[in-house]
Amino acid sequence: MSEANDIEQDDEEQFVESTLTQAIENQLESGEPAAAKATYNKLTLVGYAHDDIVELMAHVLAYEIDAMLDADRPFDTQWYETALRALPELPPERD
């Protein structure tokens, strides 16, 4: 891979990470879904830092978006909320 492609990929990864992080921050601010704030509060109580919590939650969101796109189906809110509530346990790695 060329250096230009590496830079483009890094920029794209940073954009995706920033977008997912902002989506989580928006969920926390709006209180929707309720599982987002409940998960945040739970993880805060057991000692996780804000940035670590948001990163874990963004990972779950990315997982569901990826699954949704792969299966060409709507966003599964029930799965997403269940997966949030399971944190800090992350969903299994996808093939």
Side-chain angles (χ1 to χ4, degrees):
M1 200 177 251
S2 74
E3 188 174 326
N5 285 342
D6 288 344
I7 291 171
E8 279 184 27
Q9 186 171 0
D10 288 346
D11 288 346
E12 184 176 318
E13 287 174 8
Q14 287 176 345
F15 174 77
V16 168
E17 183 178 328
S18 173
T19 302
L20 289 168
T21 298
Q22 188 59 54
I24 297 300
E25 294 286 2
N26 290 346
Q27 289 178 3
L28 292 172
E29 187 176 318
S30 72
E32 289 296 325
K37 191 64 174 173
T39 299
Y40 181 86
N41 290 339
K42 175 186 86 170
L43 293 175
T44 298
L45 287 172
V46 295
Y48 281 83
H50 174 82
D51 290 345
D52 294 334
I53 297 169
V54 171
E55 184 177 327
L56 286 168
M57 293 173 71
H59 181 83
V60 172
L61 179 58
Y63 187 96
E64 173 53 20
I65 290 170
D66 190 43
M68 175 185 80
L69 294 173
D70 283 350
D72 192 26
R73 61 163 174 78
F75 190 85
D76 187 342
T77 303
Q78 184 174 357
W79 180 92
Y80 176 65
E81 290 184 12
T82 300
L84 284 177
R85 291 182 189 279
L87 288 173
E89 184 179 324
L90 292 171
E93 290 295 318
R94 296 181 51 122
D95 293 333

